[in-house]
Amino acid sequence: MAGFRIARHPEAFSQSPLSLKKRPAQKDADHLKWLHELPCIVTGTRPVDAAHVNYADPAYGKRERGKSEKTDDKFAVPLCRVEHDRQHHMGDERVYWQSVGIDPLKVALALYGVTGDTDMAMVIIRNIARNRP
């Protein structure tokens, strides 16, 4: 059985996530519309907004965005209006997510991976509730 190796391009790790060039946000109207059908990942209530997670985290491929840039739609989660307002008005968005005990980028990517499959989305959302402090 032949082994494999990861080829490393000399410049592959030379740029930090903060130095990447500006690019348009990846939009997915169908995904956002589907998120509106789900319950809030914090309270379990409806209706919800499709709330974008704005902070960067290279571990999830989420780069820093400039002031005039929008966040990719794959980094959105369903939040009720009260929690969406709290997310934006708490100051540091990371503090909000820590206060509710949820890793929003992990949830956003999990939901994006099952877009349109509401049964699987409900499994993901139930597991969030089960694993919160």
Side-chain angles (χ1 to χ4, degrees), residues 40-104:
C40 175
I41 64 171
V42 176
T43 65
T45 61
R46 290 184 173 102
V48 298
D49 299 333
H52 288 80
V53 181
N54 293 311
Y55 66 83
D57 190 331
Y60 293 108
K62 176 77 170 66
R63 67 180 191 81
E64 194 71 43
R65 66 185 181 98
K67 289 193 181 276
S68 63
E69 287 183 280
K70 300 290 185 187
T71 299
D72 293 347
D73 288 343
K74 68 182 174 185
F75 294 112
V77 295
L79 283 182
C80 67
R81 170 54 48 187
V82 169
E83 293 302 319
H84 194 182
D85 287 345
R86 284 187 62 222
Q87 173 206 15
H88 287 299
H89 294 103
M90 190 166 271
D92 183 346
E93 187 179 1
R94 288 179 192 262
V95 171
Y96 166 76
W97 288 110
Q98 289 171 351
S99 76
V100 296
I102 294 174
D103 180 341

Side-chain angles (χ1 to χ4, degrees), residues 41-42 101-102 107 111 123-132:
I41 64 171
V42 176
I102 294 174
V107 174
L111 291 173
V123 169
I124 292 166
I125 292 169
R126 279 194 295 273
N127 280 318
I128 294 166
R130 207 173 289 130
N131 293 319
R132 287 178 62 201

